[in-house]
Amino acid sequence: MSKLFKGVNAAFIGVVFLYIWLPLLAVIVFSFNEGRYAVYWQGFTLHWYYELLRDTLTLNAFRVSVIVTSFTVLISTVFGTLAAYGIYKYKFWGKEILRGTLILPLVMPCVIMGISLLLFFSRVLQMPLGYVSIIAAHVAFSIPLVTFIVLARMQRVDWTLEEAAMDLGANRLTTWRRVIIPMLTPGILASVALTIPWSFNDFVITFFVTGVGTTPLPVRIYSMIRLQGISPVINALGTIVVVGSILIILAVQIGALIRQKRAETAE
């Protein structure tokens, strides 16, 4: 009975894995297909990657997305970590209300949030749409993600080490640099690994707060599909994004394994 259950469980995992990866594998395979509109294999080619490199508008959109994601990750990680520390360590009025409302940007419909941010930037602040509006919008929905991930890490931290460091004469800055940050690093790295695709791949909210000349990659892909349909160039672009995402996840996991090995060696 146990073997049967394990076999069914393995089959179920395999079906779920195929369901997730088959569409991505189709995109990757057809990015090397010689035929432009064919739905069957016509031969191997790298022509569509060459066409992608010649598409200045798409390359500019990729550059915009990289800039936006970089600033979003930096700002969200710093403020999200500080927010998590404050919520976990300090007692203040409205703490539970703040903790409860932090989840709203994660569960609110993206269309509603995108419209509200557009109205806030254009009508209330009267701010031109561009890099600042996109980064501000991404930070708004990324800080809660970082906060909750770091809070989860804080549940497993031995906080007596912080008290011991300060009892031995370390000031607050030194304690943060030498004790708190190393203890929270696994949670911070996990939040970075999730925030990068969270920001880079966002379309709905970004669509509302994008300005002229600052079109990120997801909005550019949407425009290409509306004008050209699903072309092999888009497949090539999707392949690069998928491979890049996998490499980021592998880099984070390898970094975590290296840190774990070093900690075991030090012990």
Side-chain angles (χ1 to χ4, degrees):
M1 189 67 180
S2 177
K3 291 183 178 179
L4 177 62
F5 178 77
K6 290 181 180 179
V8 172
N9 188 40
F12 177 75
I13 294 174
V15 170
V16 172
F17 185 82
L18 289 175
Y19 176 76
I20 294 173
W21 278 98
L22 277 179
L24 298 178
L25 290 176
V27 169
I28 294 173
V29 169
F30 281 106
S31 70
F32 298 102
N33 187 20
E34 188 173 358
R36 182 177 183 86
Y37 301 106
V39 293
Y40 57 90
W41 185 258
Q42 291 188 352
F44 180 85
T45 182
L46 295 175
H47 173 72
W48 308 115
Y49 288 88
Y50 175 71
E51 290 293 325
L52 176 62
L53 293 176
R54 295 176 57 191
D55 191 340
T56 56
L57 292 177
T58 301
L59 294 179
N60 181 68
F62 179 81
R63 179 180 62 84
V64 171
S65 289
V66 170
I67 293 173
V68 169
T69 301
S70 300
F71 279 98
T72 299
V73 170
L74 178 62
I75 297 171
S76 300
T77 302
V78 172
F79 285 95
T81 302
L82 292 175
Y85 183 84
I87 292 173
Y88 186 84
K89 296 287 290 185
Y90 299 122
K91 295 182 180 180
F92 52 89
W93 184 87
K95 175 179 176 178
E96 294 304 321
I97 298 176
L98 174 62
R99 187 168 184 169
T101 54
L102 266 176
I103 201 173
L104 286 178
L106 300 178
V107 300
M108 185 180 300
C110 295
V111 174
I112 302 301
M113 189 169 181
I115 293 174
S116 62
L117 287 170
L118 173 61
L119 293 176
F120 180 72
F121 293 146
S122 61
R123 300 293 178 85
V124 179
L125 299 182
Q126 295 185 350
M127 180 177 69
L129 301 180
Y131 279 111
V132 176
S133 63
I134 301 173
I135 293 172
H138 285 211
V139 168
F141 63 73
S142 296
I143 285 181
L145 180 67
V146 176
T147 301
F148 284 114
I149 294 175
V150 177
L151 273 173
R153 172 60 184 173
M154 287 181 173
Q155 307 292 332
R156 304 173 59 185
V157 166
D158 184 6
W159 290 102
T160 58
L161 297 175
E162 179 190 18
E163 299 173 2
M166 300 190 71
D167 288 341
L168 293 173
N171 57 31
R172 176 61 65 180
L173 181 60
T174 302
T175 303
W176 261 90
R177 185 170 57 89
R178 302 295 296 272
V179 179
I180 297 177
I181 295 298
M183 290 193 301
L184 299 181
T185 295
I188 293 174
L189 290 178
S191 66
V192 169
L194 289 177
T195 305
I196 290 175
W198 187 270
S199 172
F200 190 89
N201 298 328
D202 179 76
F203 168 74
V204 178
I205 296 175
T206 306
F207 180 80
F208 286 97
V209 297
T210 296
V212 178
T214 55
T215 302
L217 191 59
V219 179
R220 170 61 183 165
I221 293 174
Y222 174 73
S223 300
M224 292 172 66
I225 292 175
R226 288 190 61 188
L227 296 175
Q228 307 172 14
I230 301 178
S231 71
V233 176
I234 298 177
N235 292 336
L237 181 59
T239 300
I240 293 174
V241 172
V242 169
V243 172
S245 301
I246 294 173
L247 291 177
I248 291 173
I249 294 173
L250 289 177
V252 172
Q253 291 182 339
I254 292 172
L257 289 175
I258 292 175
R259 288 182 57 85
Q260 183 179 354
K261 291 293 184 181
R262 288 179 178 175
E264 292 175 355
T265 303
E267 294 176 358

